[in-house]
Amino acid sequence: MQVVVPFAAETPKTRLRSVLSAAERSRFARAMLADVLEALARTGHDLTVVATSPLSSDDDLVGVPSTVRVEVDDRPLTDAVDARLPRRGRTGEPVAVVMADLALATPESLEGLFGPDADVVIAPGRGGGTNALVVRHPDFRADYHGASYLDHRAAANGVGASLETIDSFRLGTDIDEPADLVEVLIHGTGRSPECLRALGFELERTDGRVDTERSLDSTSADSRSR
Ligand SMILES: Nc1nc2c(ncn2[C@@H]2O[C@H](COP(=O)(O)OP(=O)(O)OP(=O)(O)O)[C@@H](O)[C@H]2O)c(=O)[nH]1
Ligand SMILES: C[C@H](OP(=O)(O)O)C(=O)O
């Protein structure tokens, strides 16, 4: 199967701006990308990162398996993905779209996405997004942002495609908001938790709740002046 991993290379993860500087968000986004690609590589599929700008193998692709292709496409997310989905008259190979911020993804959770043979398979994210998708139907079109899970379900129904929804904690947890960092520190195993720890984040347990705290001396001048 062809697997497409969209990556906003220039200003990723803006919703983390209250806790990370622009440079730190870029570093963390690339650590998550490397973790997702490593998990995907172990499933044996063909991997293409579709990035909004070129990635450097010296800085951006550290830890990324060498078999991964990188394509630059500066169109908006929906257009860049749509251009790579199966179409009538093209090869009938299914295409998967796996987001680069699924820091908890494992080969096993990804196999759960690739296994079902429905025309459209969706792993929704919390809040209504589409964290991962497999498309086998030539008339299905992508429609990201907003409650894209609902829109993608409607799109599948609209073209008569069979649909399966994947119930997965690991694929359902995309790392968007500061509160999501807790999940990376608890359940992550690769470069993403390593990156957060290097930036001074650790778990904080207060009044029976778990959050993250960041040691002040690890906060860069860049982020203090944010
Ligand atoms: N190729 C491409 N990938 C994108 C684009 N926008 C987002 N992505 C990727 O799509 C996935 C989901 O992205 P979002 O969480 O919506 O956006 P984000 O840029 O990561 O974070 P925010 O700025 O906080 O919304 C991630 O893998 C992003 O890197 C885009 O315009 N083009
Ligand atoms: C791209 C978007 O991601 P989210 O904003 O839900 O993280 C979506 O899944 O439609």
Side-chain angles (χ1 to χ4, degrees), residues 32 37 41 64-65 71 74 87-89 106 123 134 136 139-140 152 165 170 172 182 185 190 193 200 209 224:
M32 291 198 288
L37 292 172
V64 169
E71 293 175 2
D74 63 2
R87 284 287 176 273
R88 289 189 188 280
T106 55
V134 175
R136 295 184 174 84
D139 298 326
F140 178 87
H152 284 146
T165 295
R170 287 189 174 274
V182 167
L185 289 179
R209 301 187 67 86
R224 282 195 296 271

PDB file of all heavy atoms in Angstrom, residues 32 37 41 64-65 71 74 87-89 106 123 134 136 139-140 152 165 170 172 182 185 190 193 200 209 224:
ATOM      1  N   MET A  32       8.216  13.935  16.093  1.00  0.00           N
ATOM      2  CA  MET A  32       6.994  13.127  15.910  1.00  0.00           C
ATOM      3  C   MET A  32       6.971  12.507  14.522  1.00  0.00           C
ATOM      4  O   MET A  32       6.611  11.332  14.365  1.00  0.00           O
ATOM      5  CB  MET A  32       5.745  13.990  16.141  1.00  0.00           C
ATOM      6  CG  MET A  32       5.573  14.416  17.585  1.00  0.00           C
ATOM      7  SD  MET A  32       3.888  14.951  17.954  1.00  0.00           S
ATOM      8  CE  MET A  32       3.821  16.511  17.114  1.00  0.00           C
ATOM      9  N   LEU A  37       7.166   7.760  11.079  1.00  0.00           N
ATOM     10  CA  LEU A  37       7.778   7.087   9.929  1.00  0.00           C
ATOM     11  C   LEU A  37       8.473   5.791  10.345  1.00  0.00           C
ATOM     12  O   LEU A  37       8.448   4.800   9.615  1.00  0.00           O
ATOM     13  CB  LEU A  37       8.760   8.033   9.232  1.00  0.00           C
ATOM     14  CG  LEU A  37       8.092   9.216   8.529  1.00  0.00           C
ATOM     15  CD1 LEU A  37       9.145  10.209   8.042  1.00  0.00           C
ATOM     16  CD2 LEU A  37       7.226   8.751   7.350  1.00  0.00           C
ATOM     17  N   ALA A  41       7.470   2.339   8.819  1.00  0.00           N
ATOM     18  CA  ALA A  41       8.478   1.567   8.081  1.00  0.00           C
ATOM     19  C   ALA A  41       8.437   0.108   8.510  1.00  0.00           C
ATOM     20  O   ALA A  41       8.644  -0.799   7.693  1.00  0.00           O
ATOM     21  CB  ALA A  41       9.859   2.157   8.295  1.00  0.00           C
ATOM     22  N   VAL A  64      14.920   9.196  10.309  1.00  0.00           N
ATOM     23  CA  VAL A  64      13.907   8.767   9.341  1.00  0.00           C
ATOM     24  C   VAL A  64      14.497   7.678   8.450  1.00  0.00           C
ATOM     25  O   VAL A  64      15.591   7.848   7.903  1.00  0.00           O
ATOM     26  CB  VAL A  64      13.446   9.974   8.487  1.00  0.00           C
ATOM     27  CG1 VAL A  64      12.611   9.516   7.305  1.00  0.00           C
ATOM     28  CG2 VAL A  64      12.666  10.951   9.359  1.00  0.00           C
ATOM     29  N   PRO A  65      13.789   6.545   8.295  1.00  0.00           N
ATOM     30  CA  PRO A  65      14.325   5.464   7.448  1.00  0.00           C
ATOM     31  C   PRO A  65      14.655   5.976   6.048  1.00  0.00           C
ATOM     32  O   PRO A  65      13.911   6.788   5.482  1.00  0.00           O
ATOM     33  CB  PRO A  65      13.165   4.462   7.405  1.00  0.00           C
ATOM     34  CG  PRO A  65      12.342   4.750   8.627  1.00  0.00           C
ATOM     35  CD  PRO A  65      12.494   6.215   8.889  1.00  0.00           C
ATOM     36  N   GLU A  71       8.187  14.329  -1.019  1.00  0.00           N
ATOM     37  CA  GLU A  71       7.690  15.163  -2.113  1.00  0.00           C
ATOM     38  C   GLU A  71       7.283  16.506  -1.532  1.00  0.00           C
ATOM     39  O   GLU A  71       6.704  16.558  -0.437  1.00  0.00           O
ATOM     40  CB  GLU A  71       6.471  14.511  -2.780  1.00  0.00           C
ATOM     41  CG  GLU A  71       6.818  13.229  -3.521  1.00  0.00           C
ATOM     42  CD  GLU A  71       5.605  12.498  -4.100  1.00  0.00           C
ATOM     43  OE1 GLU A  71       4.472  13.002  -3.955  1.00  0.00           O
ATOM     44  OE2 GLU A  71       5.795  11.422  -4.662  1.00  0.00           O
ATOM     45  N   ASP A  74       3.118  22.492  -1.975  1.00  0.00           N
ATOM     46  CA  ASP A  74       2.723  23.612  -1.101  1.00  0.00           C
ATOM     47  C   ASP A  74       1.225  23.930  -1.184  1.00  0.00           C
ATOM     48  O   ASP A  74       0.779  24.945  -0.658  1.00  0.00           O
ATOM     49  CB  ASP A  74       3.575  24.854  -1.384  1.00  0.00           C
ATOM     50  CG  ASP A  74       3.380  25.366  -2.802  1.00  0.00           C
ATOM     51  OD1 ASP A  74       2.555  24.782  -3.534  1.00  0.00           O
ATOM     52  OD2 ASP A  74       4.063  26.336  -3.167  1.00  0.00           O
ATOM     53  N   ARG A  87      -7.849   7.066  -8.155  1.00  0.00           N
ATOM     54  CA  ARG A  87      -8.767   7.701  -9.118  1.00  0.00           C
ATOM     55  C   ARG A  87      -9.101   6.701 -10.205  1.00  0.00           C
ATOM     56  O   ARG A  87      -8.278   5.844 -10.524  1.00  0.00           O
ATOM     57  CB  ARG A  87      -8.088   8.902  -9.817  1.00  0.00           C
ATOM     58  CG  ARG A  87      -7.971  10.126  -8.994  1.00  0.00           C
ATOM     59  CD  ARG A  87      -9.333  10.800  -8.835  1.00  0.00           C
ATOM     60  NE  ARG A  87      -9.200  11.944  -7.953  1.00  0.00           N
ATOM     61  CZ  ARG A  87      -9.285  11.896  -6.636  1.00  0.00           C
ATOM     62  NH1 ARG A  87      -9.497  10.747  -6.034  1.00  0.00           N
ATOM     63  NH2 ARG A  87      -9.155  12.979  -5.907  1.00  0.00           N
ATOM     64  N   ARG A  88     -10.252   6.862 -10.800  1.00  0.00           N
ATOM     65  CA  ARG A  88     -10.593   6.019 -11.948  1.00  0.00           C
ATOM     66  C   ARG A  88      -9.527   6.211 -13.026  1.00  0.00           C
ATOM     67  O   ARG A  88      -9.084   7.339 -13.248  1.00  0.00           O
ATOM     68  CB  ARG A  88     -11.960   6.415 -12.520  1.00  0.00           C
ATOM     69  CG  ARG A  88     -13.065   6.010 -11.604  1.00  0.00           C
ATOM     70  CD  ARG A  88     -14.436   6.161 -12.157  1.00  0.00           C
ATOM     71  NE  ARG A  88     -15.365   5.889 -11.049  1.00  0.00           N
ATOM     72  CZ  ARG A  88     -15.699   4.672 -10.641  1.00  0.00           C
ATOM     73  NH1 ARG A  88     -15.236   3.610 -11.259  1.00  0.00           N
ATOM     74  NH2 ARG A  88     -16.521   4.509  -9.605  1.00  0.00           N
ATOM     75  N   GLY A  89      -9.106   5.116 -13.634  1.00  0.00           N
ATOM     76  CA  GLY A  89      -8.124   5.213 -14.708  1.00  0.00           C
ATOM     77  C   GLY A  89      -6.692   5.190 -14.213  1.00  0.00           C
ATOM     78  O   GLY A  89      -5.765   5.085 -14.996  1.00  0.00           O
ATOM     79  N   THR A 106       2.121   2.878  16.718  1.00  0.00           N
ATOM     80  CA  THR A 106       3.011   1.712  16.733  1.00  0.00           C
ATOM     81  C   THR A 106       2.718   0.880  15.481  1.00  0.00           C
ATOM     82  O   THR A 106       1.643   1.024  14.881  1.00  0.00           O
ATOM     83  CB  THR A 106       2.714   0.829  17.966  1.00  0.00           C
ATOM     84  OG1 THR A 106       1.316   0.499  17.934  1.00  0.00           O
ATOM     85  CG2 THR A 106       3.050   1.535  19.270  1.00  0.00           C
ATOM     86  N   ALA A 123      -9.414   6.283  11.007  1.00  0.00           N
ATOM     87  CA  ALA A 123      -9.098   6.350  12.435  1.00  0.00           C
ATOM     88  C   ALA A 123      -9.341   7.793  12.857  1.00  0.00           C
ATOM     89  O   ALA A 123      -8.549   8.683  12.517  1.00  0.00           O
ATOM     90  CB  ALA A 123      -7.646   5.955  12.685  1.00  0.00           C
ATOM     91  N   VAL A 134      -7.594   5.135   5.088  1.00  0.00           N
ATOM     92  CA  VAL A 134      -7.210   4.296   3.947  1.00  0.00           C
ATOM     93  C   VAL A 134      -8.315   4.433   2.917  1.00  0.00           C
ATOM     94  O   VAL A 134      -9.496   4.326   3.253  1.00  0.00           O
ATOM     95  CB  VAL A 134      -7.040   2.812   4.343  1.00  0.00           C
ATOM     96  CG1 VAL A 134      -6.758   1.960   3.111  1.00  0.00           C
ATOM     97  CG2 VAL A 134      -5.916   2.646   5.359  1.00  0.00           C
ATOM     98  N   ARG A 136      -9.733   3.085  -0.801  1.00  0.00           N
ATOM     99  CA  ARG A 136      -9.672   2.134  -1.929  1.00  0.00           C
ATOM    100  C   ARG A 136     -10.672   2.510  -3.012  1.00  0.00           C
ATOM    101  O   ARG A 136     -10.672   1.908  -4.064  1.00  0.00           O
ATOM    102  CB  ARG A 136      -9.991   0.711  -1.434  1.00  0.00           C
ATOM    103  CG  ARG A 136      -8.961   0.167  -0.478  1.00  0.00           C
ATOM    104  CD  ARG A 136      -9.254  -1.288  -0.088  1.00  0.00           C
ATOM    105  NE  ARG A 136      -8.164  -1.800   0.721  1.00  0.00           N
ATOM    106  CZ  ARG A 136      -8.065  -1.608   2.031  1.00  0.00           C
ATOM    107  NH1 ARG A 136      -9.005  -0.951   2.687  1.00  0.00           N
ATOM    108  NH2 ARG A 136      -7.017  -2.076   2.700  1.00  0.00           N
ATOM    109  N   ASP A 139     -13.746   7.238  -6.158  1.00  0.00           N
ATOM    110  CA  ASP A 139     -14.514   8.494  -6.188  1.00  0.00           C
ATOM    111  C   ASP A 139     -14.467   9.260  -4.862  1.00  0.00           C
ATOM    112  O   ASP A 139     -15.046  10.344  -4.754  1.00  0.00           O
ATOM    113  CB  ASP A 139     -15.991   8.201  -6.537  1.00  0.00           C
ATOM    114  CG  ASP A 139     -16.107   7.578  -7.918  1.00  0.00           C
ATOM    115  OD1 ASP A 139     -15.284   7.943  -8.791  1.00  0.00           O
ATOM    116  OD2 ASP A 139     -16.982   6.716  -8.108  1.00  0.00           O
ATOM    117  N   PHE A 140     -13.823   8.687  -3.866  1.00  0.00           N
ATOM    118  CA  PHE A 140     -13.759   9.355  -2.555  1.00  0.00           C
ATOM    119  C   PHE A 140     -12.815  10.555  -2.620  1.00  0.00           C
ATOM    120  O   PHE A 140     -11.733  10.471  -3.186  1.00  0.00           O
ATOM    121  CB  PHE A 140     -13.275   8.366  -1.497  1.00  0.00           C
ATOM    122  CG  PHE A 140     -13.137   8.965  -0.127  1.00  0.00           C
ATOM    123  CD1 PHE A 140     -14.231   9.015   0.748  1.00  0.00           C
ATOM    124  CD2 PHE A 140     -11.919   9.505   0.297  1.00  0.00           C
ATOM    125  CE1 PHE A 140     -14.109   9.571   2.009  1.00  0.00           C
ATOM    126  CE2 PHE A 140     -11.792  10.062   1.557  1.00  0.00           C
ATOM    127  CZ  PHE A 140     -12.884  10.098   2.413  1.00  0.00           C
ATOM    128  N   HIS A 152     -15.765  13.059   6.178  1.00  0.00           N
ATOM    129  CA  HIS A 152     -15.244  11.912   5.428  1.00  0.00           C
ATOM    130  C   HIS A 152     -16.245  10.744   5.439  1.00  0.00           C
ATOM    131  O   HIS A 152     -16.373  10.013   4.459  1.00  0.00           O
ATOM    132  CB  HIS A 152     -13.884  11.483   5.992  1.00  0.00           C
ATOM    133  CG  HIS A 152     -12.780  12.403   5.577  1.00  0.00           C
ATOM    134  ND1 HIS A 152     -11.696  12.706   6.377  1.00  0.00           N
ATOM    135  CD2 HIS A 152     -12.599  13.111   4.427  1.00  0.00           C
ATOM    136  CE1 HIS A 152     -10.896  13.540   5.721  1.00  0.00           C
ATOM    137  NE2 HIS A 152     -11.435  13.811   4.557  1.00  0.00           N
ATOM    138  N   THR A 165     -14.665   2.251  10.752  1.00  0.00           N
ATOM    139  CA  THR A 165     -14.025   3.197  11.677  1.00  0.00           C
ATOM    140  C   THR A 165     -13.172   2.416  12.664  1.00  0.00           C
ATOM    141  O   THR A 165     -13.625   1.415  13.220  1.00  0.00           O
ATOM    142  CB  THR A 165     -15.098   4.009  12.436  1.00  0.00           C
ATOM    143  OG1 THR A 165     -15.800   4.815  11.487  1.00  0.00           O
ATOM    144  CG2 THR A 165     -14.477   4.925  13.475  1.00  0.00           C
ATOM    145  N   ARG A 170      -4.116   4.778  20.335  1.00  0.00           N
ATOM    146  CA  ARG A 170      -2.840   5.280  19.796  1.00  0.00           C
ATOM    147  C   ARG A 170      -3.026   6.076  18.503  1.00  0.00           C
ATOM    148  O   ARG A 170      -2.365   7.090  18.305  1.00  0.00           O
ATOM    149  CB  ARG A 170      -1.848   4.122  19.585  1.00  0.00           C
ATOM    150  CG  ARG A 170      -1.300   3.613  20.908  1.00  0.00           C
ATOM    151  CD  ARG A 170      -0.174   2.625  20.753  1.00  0.00           C
ATOM    152  NE  ARG A 170       0.375   2.324  22.074  1.00  0.00           N
ATOM    153  CZ  ARG A 170       1.310   3.042  22.686  1.00  0.00           C
ATOM    154  NH1 ARG A 170       1.844   4.092  22.087  1.00  0.00           N
ATOM    155  NH2 ARG A 170       1.731   2.728  23.893  1.00  0.00           N
ATOM    156  N   GLY A 172      -5.877   7.467  17.709  1.00  0.00           N
ATOM    157  CA  GLY A 172      -6.836   8.548  17.991  1.00  0.00           C
ATOM    158  C   GLY A 172      -6.214   9.735  18.695  1.00  0.00           C
ATOM    159  O   GLY A 172      -6.850  10.781  18.834  1.00  0.00           O
ATOM    160  N   VAL A 182       1.042  15.326  27.790  1.00  0.00           N
ATOM    161  CA  VAL A 182       1.013  14.290  28.833  1.00  0.00           C
ATOM    162  C   VAL A 182       1.032  12.899  28.201  1.00  0.00           C
ATOM    163  O   VAL A 182       1.746  12.004  28.657  1.00  0.00           O
ATOM    164  CB  VAL A 182      -0.275  14.449  29.696  1.00  0.00           C
ATOM    165  CG1 VAL A 182      -0.507  13.222  30.561  1.00  0.00           C
ATOM    166  CG2 VAL A 182      -0.208  15.696  30.545  1.00  0.00           C
ATOM    167  N   LEU A 185       4.458  11.864  27.038  1.00  0.00           N
ATOM    168  CA  LEU A 185       5.369  11.478  28.119  1.00  0.00           C
ATOM    169  C   LEU A 185       4.971  10.143  28.745  1.00  0.00           C
ATOM    170  O   LEU A 185       5.829   9.388  29.199  1.00  0.00           O
ATOM    171  CB  LEU A 185       5.411  12.572  29.194  1.00  0.00           C
ATOM    172  CG  LEU A 185       6.128  13.861  28.780  1.00  0.00           C
ATOM    173  CD1 LEU A 185       6.094  14.883  29.911  1.00  0.00           C
ATOM    174  CD2 LEU A 185       7.576  13.593  28.371  1.00  0.00           C
ATOM    175  N   GLY A 190       9.597   6.889  21.513  1.00  0.00           N
ATOM    176  CA  GLY A 190      10.689   7.219  20.609  1.00  0.00           C
ATOM    177  C   GLY A 190      11.270   8.596  20.814  1.00  0.00           C
ATOM    178  O   GLY A 190      11.532   9.037  21.940  1.00  0.00           O
ATOM    179  N   PRO A 193       8.971  11.721  23.052  1.00  0.00           N
ATOM    180  CA  PRO A 193       9.153  11.955  24.484  1.00  0.00           C
ATOM    181  C   PRO A 193      10.575  12.396  24.813  1.00  0.00           C
ATOM    182  O   PRO A 193      10.786  13.234  25.714  1.00  0.00           O
ATOM    183  CB  PRO A 193       8.814  10.603  25.131  1.00  0.00           C
ATOM    184  CG  PRO A 193       8.876   9.603  24.034  1.00  0.00           C
ATOM    185  CD  PRO A 193       8.551  10.329  22.776  1.00  0.00           C
ATOM    186  N   GLY A 200      12.881  19.957  28.764  1.00  0.00           N
ATOM    187  CA  GLY A 200      12.614  20.221  30.182  1.00  0.00           C
ATOM    188  C   GLY A 200      11.225  19.818  30.654  1.00  0.00           C
ATOM    189  O   GLY A 200      10.857  20.121  31.788  1.00  0.00           O
ATOM    190  N   ARG A 209      -4.435  14.714  39.602  1.00  0.00           N
ATOM    191  CA  ARG A 209      -4.457  14.922  38.149  1.00  0.00           C
ATOM    192  C   ARG A 209      -3.019  14.888  37.622  1.00  0.00           C
ATOM    193  O   ARG A 209      -2.077  15.159  38.359  1.00  0.00           O
ATOM    194  CB  ARG A 209      -5.088  16.282  37.812  1.00  0.00           C
ATOM    195  CG  ARG A 209      -6.500  16.407  38.340  1.00  0.00           C
ATOM    196  CD  ARG A 209      -7.122  17.693  37.839  1.00  0.00           C
ATOM    197  NE  ARG A 209      -7.315  17.648  36.390  1.00  0.00           N
ATOM    198  CZ  ARG A 209      -8.382  17.119  35.807  1.00  0.00           C
ATOM    199  NH1 ARG A 209      -9.334  16.601  36.541  1.00  0.00           N
ATOM    200  NH2 ARG A 209      -8.505  17.124  34.501  1.00  0.00           N
ATOM    201  N   ARG A 224      10.888  32.296  25.884  1.00  0.00           N
ATOM    202  CA  ARG A 224      10.523  33.248  26.942  1.00  0.00           C
ATOM    203  C   ARG A 224      10.052  34.572  26.350  1.00  0.00           C
ATOM    204  O   ARG A 224       9.198  35.235  26.913  1.00  0.00           O
ATOM    205  CB  ARG A 224      11.713  33.480  27.874  1.00  0.00           C
ATOM    206  CG  ARG A 224      11.899  32.336  28.869  1.00  0.00           C
ATOM    207  CD  ARG A 224      12.826  32.743  29.985  1.00  0.00           C
ATOM    208  NE  ARG A 224      14.168  33.029  29.507  1.00  0.00           N
ATOM    209  CZ  ARG A 224      15.118  32.114  29.394  1.00  0.00           C
ATOM    210  NH1 ARG A 224      14.876  30.860  29.692  1.00  0.00           N
ATOM    211  NH2 ARG A 224      16.318  32.447  28.958  1.00  0.00           N
TER     212      ARG A 224
END
